[in-house]
Amino acid sequence: MPTKQNPFLKNIFFLIPLLLLTCTNPVSPDYKYIEGLIYIEGFLGTEEGSSYVTITESDVAQYYRNIFVTGATVAFVNADSGQSIQLIEEDAQYIPPPNFKGTVGEKWHLEVSLPNGNQYVSEVETINPSVP
């Protein structure tokens, strides 16, 4: 006795090749590059020589890049004692004196004054123990 084919299976086998042949239009990402954005990145470590701050500004004149901002006044400030550690500009970053290191539990914030007069102050952060 001949077997009767299921019409659903017949349609599925017809639709699968059509789905594989369909195209999608590629979409290019739309980036919005903004010139003059200031990026401040810093780290206050518990080892001598591990602390630094970098300050860059976005530049899109010829191609997208970040340019180091020179001539800024940068300081780590202890939130409890008010002690201010001035950082010096060296090798495209701002660094504290060579013997400076933070201690676990201390609270510090960052103060930055750019040559154009703009000032930035971070929130207070507590130095946490290192992950073993």
Side-chain angles (χ1 to χ4, degrees):
M1 171 188 246
T3 59
K4 188 175 179 183
Q5 284 189 336
N6 185 344
F8 177 73
L9 288 176
K10 189 181 205 182
N11 289 336
I12 290 292
F13 288 123
F14 178 71
L15 289 175
I16 288 177
L18 284 178
L19 291 174
L20 295 175
L21 294 175
T22 60
C23 298
T24 59
N25 293 331
V27 177
S28 297
D30 185 23
Y31 296 109
K32 184 177 180 183
Y33 296 109
I34 300 173
E35 191 163 332
L37 294 177
I38 299 294
Y39 299 98
I40 301 174
E41 177 184 355
F43 178 74
L44 196 154
T46 56
E47 299 287 327
E48 291 180 6
S50 65
S51 303
Y52 69 92
V53 172
T54 59
I55 306 170
T56 57
E57 182 175 2
S58 63
D59 177 41
V60 293
Q62 294 178 357
Y63 51 90
Y64 186 74
R65 63 184 177 163
N66 290 328
I67 300 172
F68 179 73
V69 176
T70 62
T73 302
V74 183
F76 290 133
V77 180
N78 187 303
D80 294 325
S81 69
Q83 176 189 16
S84 179
I85 305 296
Q86 296 298 314
L87 281 66
I88 56 169
E89 185 178 326
E90 185 177 296
D91 296 328
Q93 61 183 357
Y94 293 90
I95 57 172
N99 61 347
F100 174 77
K101 64 179 181 177
T103 304
V104 172
E106 289 181 330
K107 296 178 182 181
W108 293 83
H109 71 269
L110 178 67
E111 294 181 353
V112 175
S113 294
L114 299 182
N116 65 5
N118 290 347
Q119 296 184 345
Y120 301 90
V121 178
S122 73
E123 300 214 2
V124 175
E125 296 283 340
T126 303
I127 298 178
N128 294 318
S130 297
V131 177

